[in-house]
Amino acid sequence: MTAPDPAAAPLLQVTDLAKTFGATGALLSKGVQVRAVDGVSFSIRAGETLGLVGETGSGKSTLGRLVLKLIEPSAGRIVFDGADVTALQGAAARQLRGRMQMVFQDPYGSLNPRMTVGELVREPMVVHGYGGDLMRTRLESTLREVGIDPRMAARYPHEFSGGQRQRIAIARALVLDPKLLILDEPVSALDVSIQAQILNLLQGIQRRTGIAYLFIAHDLAVVRHISHRVAVMYLGKIVESAPRDQLYSAPHHPYTKALLSAVPVPDPVLERGKTRIALHGEIGSAASMPDGCRFHPRCFRARQAGAEPGTQAASWRGLAMPTACLQQLPPFETVGAGHQAACHFARLEDRFAAPHAVQQPPALAGAA
Ligand SMILES: Nc1ncnc2c1ncn2[C@@H]1O[C@H](COP(=O)(O)OP(=O)(O)O)[C@@H](O)[C@H]1O
Ligand code: SF4
Ligand SMILES: [Mg+2]
């Protein structure tokens, strides 16, 4: 995989982006606020893929929709291709979509079943005022680019398989030659063998065109191959971000470690010896965030650290946990080259091996 130019200015720069929704249902009358995205910063360079990973409910789709200007941010700034696009609305925001497009998980839901493939892929060009000849050549070349025979353009989405439908959705997103594609779980609904084909397709397109991807997924296995860098999101915040190989070989955040311990390792010996790290309970709701570190109710590291001699601990539901974890939101700090993590213990993590490299649960640090 060719690396994008590290000296290049970012194509997309997102700073302190936030989105708060009013809660729905029973919580509506209580005035509860849902902090779906809560102060997120990241950048993507031309030709780069940033993998964005986190469980359902962590705020990934909201973040994607904010960047694409499908919804308005509550706070923060978005600079795209050298221009501040944060406040763009209406026609100006639609114009931006020529250069930035989104592909969704379910191509069936996002492709109008009453339109032919040709109409679906032509539609963005009609909206953006393309002429007849250009439209015809772009339609054919884009369908070829995604591996769909242009002679199939008169057919309807239901006449294609799931993988082919996702190719058609990708063609529709690519037809205006955008610089950035936001892919929201684009392969989650597909069989594993088809997933690999779509990932390879996306990589080939990136090599040829230099397009950048924000690739959203709910597990670390899917984004491993395609990403240059990976960001891990938990309850509205990015909790760890690193170059791909760094994140998979030396994760610092306990949440990343837990997610990674569930990813199969190709080496059968390592796979057998691997320790799975339990994620206690559910992700919880963005409408009622835990105090302190949002991950503390599920964090194995906080449980270990709470038992270490010398750690200032308090009782949480009968478990000893560091008071810092219970009371203070950890800062997002640098732990290595291009590597940041938000955990009070992140800087001590060289004492804790990556989960796929350890045979036993990590020893308590205080015992050393
Ligand atoms: N339109 C909305 N109104 C209220 N809450 C929302 C809305 N959209 C998303 N949420 C809430 O925001 C949080 C993050 O959702 P989402 O961005 O869909 O996460 P993900 O894509 O990681 O699963 C969830 O708690 C979800 O219920
Ligand atoms: S700050 Fe504490 S609770 Fe949060 S991830 Fe680190 S150890 Fe776990
Ligand atoms: Mg989502």
Side-chain angles (χ1 to χ4, degrees), residues 50-360:
L50 176 68
L52 179 67
V53 173
E55 289 163 287
T56 299
S58 52
K60 308 177 301 294
S61 295
T62 304
L63 185 56
R65 291 164 70 215
L66 283 171
V67 171
L68 199 66
K69 305 288 304 165
L70 293 173
I71 50 174
E72 288 307 303
S74 311
R77 188 161 179 256
I78 305 165
V79 175
F80 178 67
D81 210 6
D84 189 333
V85 300
T86 318
L88 289 189
Q89 284 185 326
R94 279 194 295 281
Q95 205 59 37
L96 181 70
R97 270 166 235 148
R99 294 180 290 139
M100 209 199 272
Q101 285 277 335
M102 195 149 175
V103 172
F104 298 91
Q105 173 177 343
D106 171 18
Y108 224 34
S110 58
L111 297 176
N112 183 339
R114 285 183 296 279
M115 290 169 79
T116 65
V117 168
E119 287 166 347
L120 283 162
V121 179
R122 261 194 302 267
E123 190 180 45
M125 295 193 279
V126 173
V127 171
H128 284 258
Y130 279 49
D133 278 350
L134 179 58
M135 207 138 71
R136 201 166 27 254
T137 50
R138 272 302 291 168
L139 171 66
E140 288 188 13
S141 64
T142 310
L143 285 177
R144 269 195 214 98
E145 174 105 279
V146 301
I148 299 284
D149 186 337
R151 286 173 300 183
M152 306 281 194
R155 300 201 179 175
Y156 290 87
H158 73 263
E159 298 178 66
F160 294 85
S161 68
Q164 286 173 316
R165 282 201 294 269
Q166 198 54 294
R167 286 171 189 266
I168 295 161
I170 292 169
R172 190 174 144 89
L174 285 179
V175 76
L176 297 176
D177 204 13
K179 293 189 168 188
L180 172 68
L181 213 54
I182 298 169
L183 299 137
D184 192 355
E185 310 227 17
V187 299
S188 301
L190 303 175
D191 291 346
V192 172
S193 61
I194 311 291
Q195 287 187 358
Q197 290 172 14
I198 298 288
L199 294 174
N200 287 340
L201 172 75
L202 290 167
Q203 268 187 315
I205 292 169
Q206 185 173 64
R207 269 196 296 274
R208 283 192 295 281
T209 65
I211 192 170
Y213 297 139
L214 174 62
F215 192 107
I216 297 173
H218 59 257
D219 73 68
L220 278 163
V222 168
V223 299
R224 182 171 200 153
H225 201 65
I226 197 168
S227 303
H228 298 96
R229 284 186 299 131
V230 177
V232 178
M233 202 166 170
Y234 191 79
L235 280 182
K237 288 206 171 285
I238 291 179
V239 295
E240 182 156 17
S241 171
R244 186 261 314 266
D245 292 344
Q246 180 75 14
L247 189 104
Y248 287 83
S249 63
H252 277 244
H253 197 283
Y255 183 53
T256 313
K257 292 183 182 207
L259 289 181
L260 206 49
S261 79
V263 172
V265 180
D267 182 324
V269 177
L270 273 183
E271 177 65 25
R272 269 197 303 279
K274 203 172 75 172
T275 304
R276 291 207 194 283
I277 297 174
L279 270 175
H280 307 276
E282 302 278 310
I283 182 168
S285 164
S288 57
M289 300 282 194
D291 290 337
C293 175
R294 288 171 191 176
F295 187 57
H296 81 250
R298 306 173 75 193
C299 183
F300 72 96
R301 183 72 181 91
R303 291 169 195 220
Q304 287 172 345
E308 285 167 16
T311 302
Q312 205 189 1
S315 174
W316 180 82
R317 297 192 181 170
L319 295 164
M321 279 201 192
T323 46
C325 299
L326 297 173
Q327 293 173 6
Q328 291 161 24
L329 199 61
F332 192 56
E333 35 178 20
T334 298
V335 294
H339 190 167
Q340 292 90 28
C343 166
H344 294 304
F345 293 87
R347 286 174 183 279
L348 305 176
E349 285 308 283
D350 51 347
R351 288 194 279 169
F352 287 81
H356 54 270
V358 293
Q359 305 293 318
Q360 299 293 325

